[in-house]
Amino acid sequence: MSPSPLAQLDQQTAELLSTIDALTSLDALRDVEATLTGKRSVLAALQKSLGSLEPDERRAAGAELQEARRVVTAAFDERRRLLERDARLESLESDRLDLGDVVTPDVVRPLAPGHPSLVAITQRELEDVFVAMGFTVADGPEVETDWYNFEALNIPPAHPARGMWDTFYVDLGEPETVVLRTHTSPSQIHLMEEAVAKGTLPIHAVMPGRCFRRDTPDASHLYAFHQIEGLVVDRGITFGDLAGTIETFTRAYFGPDITSRLRPGYFPFTEPSAEFEVTCTICRGEGCRTCSFTGWIELGGCGVLDPAVFDAVGIDSTQWSGFAFGFGVDRCGQMRHQLTDMRALTENDTRFLEQLS
Ligand code: DAH
């Protein structure tokens, strides 16, 4: 009788188990997997040799071999589980970041506190000047109907003066056209309507706020910009009151060296109308690029209220008269701080902004 092919099985199994025990890395484990438990393993070779045995012997040997395989495979799987766990712990450890490694004193700079923009600062200063002159401060909506932005201001549809304001339309629909206000003048209408409704005439108010025009931004134009509107409705108001108010404001805000002038102009809601200009603060009136070598900067418009506007809001123009003005807040900030380019106000360049803090 030939010796059983499994004569050495116990010893072979013991050797396999000690090889498995000696594996110290997952790479090594993968390298030897086929020779320990796979097709190239000793146990697989033994399996093949069982074919030469008698059926009874083969059955018994097969069972013995299967048990050996189960033990070896279980040891192998357990070894893999342990090595995987070690590898996971190792990578967790090596990936760990100590706060001290990433946050150095150099990185933890205290946050600089913010500050208002030049436009906000300018608006507040302008309000202060007018409040000191006896005006109250009001505001109005940035989105208006066509009626408030144009019609009530004596600018009917298709009036050629509409070309003075390149308008952003929000809705062209029925029943009313809606626009982003192109100037703060519609706030005059709201204020007069309210005063009529509440019986609170006279009015001495300024209304600052944001306006919008389809302008291409350049050194002296922004498509979203700010104006401050002024409105006085009282008894016996004349153009002289307007001119005096404008000059008093100019000196109070820009200082005694800067003066104002009114040039004849046209606005549908005032008669007579004027352009309001101040000495160029960049060249002090000498003439420079910013003032197109005129020595003067146009800030806005003004005039005596047209009776047609009083009619639109139901104020009796035989009893009341008034004046209005509207000028650029951004332009005032530009002149006061001698900015050659207004786009600096919207570009968020910290080199510019930090100079204001
Ligand atoms: N709303 C005019 C504009 O933006 C400026 C203006 C002119 C305002 C005359 C007024 C005024 O109150 O009376 O071009």
Side-chain angles (χ1 to χ4, degrees), residues 165 183 185 188 213 227 229 267 269-270 301-303 324-326:
W165 297 276
H183 49 178
S185 298
Q188 290 183 31
R213 285 188 204 169
Q227 288 189 338
E229 193 79 12
F267 295 98
F269 33 95
T270 42
C302 57
F325 55 82

Coordinates of all heavy atoms in Angstrom, one line a residue, residues 165 183 185 188 213 227 229 267 269-270 301-303 324-326, ligand 1:
W165 N -32.8 110.5 -19.7 CA -32.6 109.5 -18.7 C -32.6 108.1 -19.4 O -33.7 107.7 -19.8 CB -33.7 109.5 -17.6 CG -33.6 110.8 -16.8 CD1 -32.8 111.1 -15.8 CD2 -34.5 112.0 -17.0 NE1 -33.1 112.4 -15.3 CE2 -34.1 112.9 -16.1 CE3 -35.5 112.3 -17.9 CZ2 -34.6 114.2 -16.0 CZ3 -36.0 113.5 -17.9 CH2 -35.6 114.5 -16.9
H183 N -33.7 108.9 -11.2 CA -33.3 110.1 -10.4 C -34.2 110.0 -9.1 O -35.1 109.2 -9.0 CB -33.5 111.4 -11.1 CG -34.9 111.6 -11.8 ND1 -35.3 112.7 -12.5 CD2 -36.0 110.7 -11.9 CE1 -36.5 112.6 -12.9 NE2 -36.9 111.4 -12.6
S185 N -36.0 112.5 -8.1 CA -37.1 113.4 -8.2 C -38.4 112.8 -7.9 O -39.3 113.5 -7.4 CB -37.1 114.1 -9.6 OG -35.9 114.8 -9.7
Q188 N -40.0 113.5 -4.7 CA -40.8 114.8 -4.5 C -42.3 114.5 -4.5 O -43.1 115.0 -3.8 CB -40.5 115.7 -5.6 CG -39.1 116.3 -5.7 CD -39.0 117.3 -6.8 OE1 -40.0 118.0 -7.2 NE2 -37.8 117.5 -7.4
R213 N -29.2 104.2 -14.1 CA -29.3 104.5 -15.6 C -28.5 103.6 -16.4 O -27.4 103.1 -16.0 CB -28.8 106.0 -15.8 CG -29.8 107.0 -15.3 CD -29.4 108.4 -15.7 NE -30.0 109.3 -14.7 CZ -29.7 110.6 -14.6 NH1 -28.8 111.1 -15.4 NH2 -30.3 111.3 -13.7
Q227 N -28.2 110.0 -5.6 CA -28.5 111.4 -5.6 C -29.1 111.9 -4.3 O -29.5 111.1 -3.5 CB -29.6 111.7 -6.7 CG -29.1 111.6 -8.1 CD -30.1 112.1 -9.2 OE1 -31.3 112.1 -8.9 NE2 -29.6 112.4 -10.3
E229 N -32.1 114.6 -3.3 CA -33.1 115.5 -3.8 C -33.4 116.5 -2.7 O -33.4 116.2 -1.6 CB -34.3 114.7 -4.2 CG -35.4 115.4 -5.0 CD -35.0 115.4 -6.5 OE1 -34.0 114.7 -6.9 OE2 -35.6 116.2 -7.2
F267 N -35.3 121.4 -17.3 CA -35.9 120.2 -16.8 C -37.4 120.4 -16.9 O -37.9 121.5 -16.6 CB -35.5 120.0 -15.3 CG -34.0 119.7 -15.2 CD1 -33.1 120.8 -14.8 CD2 -33.5 118.5 -15.4 CE1 -31.8 120.5 -14.7 CE2 -32.1 118.2 -15.3 CZ -31.3 119.3 -15.0
F269 N -39.8 119.6 -15.0 CA -40.6 119.8 -13.7 C -40.2 121.1 -13.0 O -40.7 121.3 -11.9 CB -40.4 118.6 -12.8 CG -39.0 117.9 -12.9 CD1 -38.0 118.3 -12.0 CD2 -38.7 117.0 -13.9 CE1 -36.7 117.7 -12.1 CE2 -37.5 116.4 -14.0 CZ -36.5 116.7 -13.1
T270 N -39.3 121.9 -13.6 CA -39.0 123.2 -13.0 C -39.0 124.3 -14.1 O -38.7 124.0 -15.2 CB -37.6 123.2 -12.3 OG1 -36.7 122.5 -13.2 CG2 -37.7 122.5 -10.9
G301 N -29.1 119.4 -11.0 CA -30.1 120.4 -11.6 C -30.9 120.9 -10.5 O -31.0 120.4 -9.4
C302 N -31.6 122.0 -10.8 CA -32.5 122.7 -9.8 C -33.5 123.6 -10.5 O -33.3 123.9 -11.7 CB -31.7 123.4 -8.7 SG -30.6 124.7 -9.4
G303 N -34.4 124.2 -9.8 CA -35.3 125.1 -10.4 C -36.5 125.4 -9.5 O -36.6 124.8 -8.4
A324 N -36.8 123.0 -6.1 CA -36.3 121.7 -6.0 C -34.9 121.6 -6.5 O -34.5 122.5 -7.3 CB -37.2 120.6 -6.7
F325 N -34.1 120.7 -6.0 CA -32.8 120.4 -6.6 C -32.5 118.9 -6.5 O -33.1 118.2 -5.7 CB -31.7 121.3 -5.9 CG -31.6 121.1 -4.4 CD1 -31.0 120.0 -3.8 CD2 -32.3 122.0 -3.6 CE1 -30.9 119.9 -2.5 CE2 -32.2 121.9 -2.2 CZ -31.5 120.8 -1.6
G326 N -31.6 118.5 -7.3 CA -31.2 117.1 -7.2 C -29.8 117.0 -7.7 O -29.4 117.6 -8.8
Ligands
DAH1 N1 -33.6 114.8 -11.5 C1 -32.7 115.6 -12.3 C2 -31.7 114.6 -13.0 O1 -31.4 113.6 -12.4 C3 -32.0 116.6 -11.5 C4 -32.9 117.7 -11.1 C5 -33.2 118.8 -11.9 C6 -33.6 117.6 -9.9 C7 -34.0 119.8 -11.5 C8 -34.5 118.6 -9.5 C9 -34.6 119.7 -10.3 O2 -35.1 118.5 -8.3 O3 -35.5 120.6 -9.8 O4 -31.2 114.9 -14.0

